[in-house]
């Protein structure tokens, strides 16, 4: 459910409107959902499905997420299928309602106002076909189709609505957009917060919590989608003085994220343009309201490097997971055969045939693929070379699509006489790693220029004088290594050659001081 809501909001915010001439009717929006709100309602979201242009959305998002075209295409198709089915059934407006009465255990519920000749049964069936809503129960209540968990639906049938007058004002502040998100805590909510936490955290000055509870009566988010996208956040305060206090607290909170503390990584190191982002997000006081307005040009300049950073982090995390799987497979191989695999299997003339990456397949849940290889033939035989295209995802070590399409990987084994992989048919077991498994490398991640076809018995032969040459330097992290104890860790790119070479050897007797 959460995935559906997130994609609906994010994608709608990103694309241009198909009906920008349409003016907002805040009272009508509030009236449509009012029968389903009570004192425990804390948030309402609204999406006008007729104003979502999937092609424009995909184009816009691709500008921010270079290299994620495949994921975006999948998301576009999935959301496009939902939208097509729902709008064809007569769904135009979709409301998402969050109530404390449903927390924990129940997801937010959906409200779909019926218009004209809309058929409640057809709409309910169309909504239920989504795999993310298959556990929802859809029924006609009043002049709307409502969907939610079983307990939520039972509660709504006997609900006594509360007149939330602030909702109309909040929708008006959100403006005319395809998506609005409204936060409407009740007076009861504020009292509970003030009783439970009367003081702010010391990091924020330790003042009274009323800076928040009186400073935020309601909040509204709206987006203008054409001609250029812009986002507007409005917070209604009790009075001008309360607005100023909340603005100061918000600025302090944002700046605090850039400071290094026991729980926080330094945001300035993680997020490019952090100070600019703080400037953009710090609200302006307009009488008794706080307002944040983000224009597309500002958002683009700030978000693109952030997205690039996040994508880089995701790539690193993926590589770490892959290396951990390979390391575990290595150990399972050792448990079975009492030694690690050799760099390849060899024919009678000691010619290497197929890489260790092939022989590890049964321990990577790839038994069927392994059975397809002719083990007595070289990697480039007529038969075996047809299997290059079937490289398992665990060996996908780069975002470079060309490498993946050609069956190349950058996960290589260091090869040398005193390494775990000797380059010969000599087998090495745990007892041969006298330097200690936590101080001996058996897998590395090299750069794209040194990628090899995954089935080919070709690996990494480090130069003792420059052993770091060809290793991939993950910015901000260093070299990614798989160790013989099964762990995966980073080594700073500035590591000296002597230390790195010592980590490659299994029996050099060196004392290793990890940087």
């Amino acid at each position: 459910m959460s995935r559906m809501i997130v994609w609906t909001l994010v994608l709608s915010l990103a694309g241009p409107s198909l009906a920008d001439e349409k003016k907002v009717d805040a009272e009508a929006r509030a009236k449509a959902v009012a029968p389903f709100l009570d004192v425990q309602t804390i948030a309402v979201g609204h999406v006008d499905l007729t104003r979502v242009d999937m092609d424009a959305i995909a184009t816009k998002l691709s500008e921010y997420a270079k290299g994620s075209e495949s994921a975006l295409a999948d998301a576009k198709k999935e959301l496009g299928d939902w939208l097509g089915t729902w709008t064809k059934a007569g769904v135009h407006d979709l409301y998402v309602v969050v109530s404390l009465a449903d927390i924990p255990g129940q997801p937010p519920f959906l409200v779909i106002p019926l218009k004209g000749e809309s058929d409640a049964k057809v709409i309910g069936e169309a909504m239920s076909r989504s795999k993310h809503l298959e556990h929802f129960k859809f029924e006609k209540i009043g002049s709307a189709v409502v969907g939610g968990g079983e307990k939520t639906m039972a509660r709504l049938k006997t609900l006594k609505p509360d007149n939330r007058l602030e909702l109309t004002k909040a929708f008006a502040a959100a403006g005319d957009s395809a998506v609005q998100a409204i936060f409407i805590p009740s007076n009861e909510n504020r009292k509970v917060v003030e009783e439970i936490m009367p003081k702010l955290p010391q990091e924020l000055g330790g003042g009274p919590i009323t800076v928040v509870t009186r400073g935020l009566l309601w909040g509204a988010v709206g987006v203008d989608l054409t001609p250029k996208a812009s986002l507007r956040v409005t917070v209604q305060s009790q009075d001008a003085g309360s607005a100023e206090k909340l603005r100061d607290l918000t600025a302090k909170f944002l700046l605090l994220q850039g400071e290094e503390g026991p729980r926080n990584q330094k945001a300035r190191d993680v997020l490019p343009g952090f100070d600019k982002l703080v400037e953009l997000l710090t609200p302006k006081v307009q009488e008794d309201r706080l307002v944040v307005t983000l224009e597309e040009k500002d958002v683009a300049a700030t978000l693109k490097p952030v997205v690039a950073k996040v994508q880089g982090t995701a790539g690193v995390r993926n590589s770490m997971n892959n290396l951990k799987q390979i390391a575990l497979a290595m150990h399972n191989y050792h448990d079975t055969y009492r030694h690690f695999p050799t760099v390849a299997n060899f024919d009678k003339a000691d010619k290497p045939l197929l890489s260790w990456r092939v022989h590890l397949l049964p321990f990577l849940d790839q038994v069927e693929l392994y059975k397809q290889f002719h083990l007595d033939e070289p990697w480039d035989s007529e038969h075996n070379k047809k299997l290059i295209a079937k490289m398992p995802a665990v060996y996908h070590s780069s975002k470079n699509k060309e490498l993946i399409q050609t069956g190349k990987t950058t996960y290589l084994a260091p090869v040398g006489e005193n390494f775990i992989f000797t380059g010969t048919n000599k087998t090495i077991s745990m007892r041969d790693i006298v330097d200690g498994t936590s101080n001996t490398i058996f897998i590395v991640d090299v750069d794209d220029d040194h990628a090899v076809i995954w089935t080919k018995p070709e690996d990494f032969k480090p130069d003792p004088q420059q052993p770091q040459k060809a290793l991939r330097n993950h910015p901000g992290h260093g070299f990614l290594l798989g160790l013989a104890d099964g762990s995966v860790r980073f080594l700073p790119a500035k590591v000296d050659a002597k230390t790195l070479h010592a980590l490659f050897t299994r029996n050099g007797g060196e004392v290793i001081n990890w940087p």
Side-chain angles (χ1 to χ4, degrees):
M1 174 61 195
S2 60
R3 184 181 174 199
M4 183 276 291
I5 295 173
V6 168
W7 270 112
T8 300
L9 291 175
V10 171
L11 294 180
S12 297
L13 295 180
S17 167
L18 294 178
D20 297 294
E21 70 281 357
K22 182 179 177 181
K23 299 302 180 183
V24 63
D25 187 342
E27 187 174 351
R29 287 177 179 168
K31 185 178 180 180
V33 75
F36 309 99
L37 310 185
D38 62 9
V39 293
Q40 298 198 72
T41 302
I42 58 173
V44 177
H46 169 252
V47 183
D48 182 347
L49 299 184
T50 66
R51 299 175 65 177
V52 179
D53 182 343
M54 293 307 303
D55 291 331
I57 287 167
T59 299
K60 181 69 68 176
L61 285 181
S62 65
E63 296 176 7
Y64 293 87
K66 299 294 185 183
S68 300
E69 290 80 6
S70 178
L72 288 176
D74 292 342
K76 174 187 172 183
K77 183 180 185 307
E78 183 174 12
L79 186 56
D81 290 344
W82 298 341
L83 293 176
T85 300
W86 296 349
T87 55
K88 185 177 180 180
V91 180
H92 301 293
D93 292 282
L94 175 66
Y95 291 85
V96 182
V97 183
V98 181
S99 173
L100 292 176
D102 300 322
I103 300 174
Q106 296 289 302
F109 64 89
L110 308 179
V111 177
I112 304 155
L114 293 171
K115 295 183 178 181
E117 300 299 320
S118 297
D119 187 320
K121 183 178 180 181
V122 172
I123 288 176
E125 291 175 349
M127 299 297 291
S128 298
R129 283 199 286 272
S130 169
K131 64 181 179 181
H132 298 287
L133 301 175
E134 58 187 9
H135 298 300
F136 272 47
K137 185 177 181 181
F138 287 90
E139 295 183 32
K140 182 178 181 293
I141 302 179
S143 57
V145 173
V146 182
E150 188 172 339
K151 292 182 179 179
T152 298
M153 296 303 292
R155 177 178 67 80
L156 291 175
K157 289 177 181 178
T158 59
L159 182 77
K160 294 182 179 180
D162 184 56
N163 190 11
R164 306 299 293 269
L165 297 175
E166 68 273 34
L167 189 61
T168 298
K169 296 179 181 179
F171 270 124
D176 179 31
S177 57
V179 176
Q180 303 86 40
I182 311 298
F183 179 57
I184 47 172
S186 67
N187 289 329
E188 288 299 318
N189 298 149
R190 278 184 275 275
K191 288 179 182 178
V192 170
V193 172
E194 290 172 3
E195 290 175 2
I196 294 176
M197 190 175 69
K199 295 287 186 181
L200 290 165
Q202 286 300 319
E203 295 90 337
L204 294 174
I209 194 65
T210 52
V211 173
V212 177
T213 58
R214 309 292 170 80
L216 197 164
L217 300 185
W218 53 258
V221 178
V223 179
D224 261 335
L225 302 175
T226 58
K228 292 291 185 180
S230 66
L231 179 143
R232 180 182 174 87
V233 180
T234 304
V235 172
Q236 177 67 58
S237 294
Q238 192 172 54
D239 49 46
S242 299
E244 290 177 357
K245 289 179 181 179
L246 184 58
R247 186 270 317 277
D248 294 342
L249 180 65
T250 303
K252 183 180 292 185
F253 172 78
L254 291 173
L255 289 171
L256 186 63
Q257 307 314 302
E259 299 175 7
E260 194 163 8
R263 299 177 188 175
N264 296 327
Q265 193 174 5
K266 205 166 184 178
R268 284 188 179 85
D269 295 338
V270 177
L271 297 177
F274 172 79
D275 292 317
K276 179 63 176 177
L277 190 61
V278 168
E279 180 185 339
L280 291 172
L281 294 178
T282 301
K284 306 291 189 297
V285 176
Q286 295 182 3
E287 297 181 349
D288 59 354
R289 291 183 176 184
L290 295 177
V291 176
V292 175
T293 301
L294 301 179
E295 301 295 336
E296 183 175 357
K297 58 181 176 61
D298 296 323
V299 173
T302 303
L303 284 186
K304 283 184 178 179
V306 172
V307 170
K309 183 82 173 182
V310 171
Q311 288 181 318
T313 301
V316 168
R317 190 180 301 115
N318 182 65
S319 279
M320 291 185 73
N321 289 337
N322 287 344
L323 286 186
K324 286 178 181 178
Q325 289 184 59
I326 295 171
L328 177 61
M330 287 277 197
H331 279 266
N332 289 337
Y333 184 103
H334 187 284
D335 290 344
T336 301
Y337 297 108
R338 312 313 301 169
H339 61 78
F340 291 113
T342 55
V343 72
N345 64 315
F346 295 81
D347 64 14
K348 293 180 180 179
D350 287 334
K351 178 183 177 181
L353 301 176
L354 288 162
S355 168
W356 60 270
R357 289 175 287 269
V358 173
H359 297 286
L360 212 59
L361 290 175
F363 304 92
L364 291 168
D365 295 324
Q366 296 287 337
V367 174
E368 293 306 313
L369 176 56
Y370 184 66
K371 289 179 179 179
Q372 295 178 44
F373 282 90
H374 290 177
L375 302 181
D376 58 348
E377 297 178 6
W379 68 275
D380 57 351
S381 70
E382 249 344 276
H383 174 81
N384 286 340
K385 68 181 181 181
K386 296 176 183 177
L387 302 175
I388 293 174
K390 296 187 177 183
M391 180 171 66
V394 71
Y395 293 139
H396 291 185
S397 52
S398 170
K399 289 185 178 180
N400 188 327
K401 290 184 178 179
E402 185 178 345
L403 290 186
I404 295 174
Q405 291 170 353
T406 55
K408 289 188 174 182
T409 183
T410 59
Y411 297 146
L412 276 56
V415 176
E417 182 180 356
N418 296 313
F419 297 178
I420 293 177
F421 290 89
T422 63
T424 68
N425 58 8
K426 178 181 179 180
T427 58
I428 301 297
S429 65
M430 284 287 191
R431 65 175 178 269
D432 298 311
I433 308 175
V434 297
D435 287 348
T437 55
S438 63
N439 290 323
T440 307
I441 299 169
F442 70 171
I443 313 170
V444 297
D445 182 18
V446 300
D447 58 37
D448 288 359
D449 291 339
H450 293 83
V452 303
I453 293 175
W454 73 282
T455 60
K456 185 177 181 180
E458 181 178 354
D459 285 276
F460 175 58
K461 296 181 180 180
D463 179 348
Q465 303 304 315
Q466 292 181 298
Q468 73 277 18
K469 189 176 181 181
L471 295 182
R472 184 189 303 278
N473 180 10
H474 295 271
H477 299 284
F479 304 133
L480 185 59
L481 312 169
L483 301 176
D485 64 354
S487 67
V488 176
R489 65 182 297 176
F490 285 101
L491 189 66
K494 294 182 179 179
V495 62
D496 64 88
K498 184 178 180 181
T499 298
L500 182 54
H501 188 267
L503 286 167
F504 285 132
T505 63
R506 68 179 190 277
N507 57 2
E510 306 93 343
V511 176
I512 303 296
N513 293 314
W514 280 90

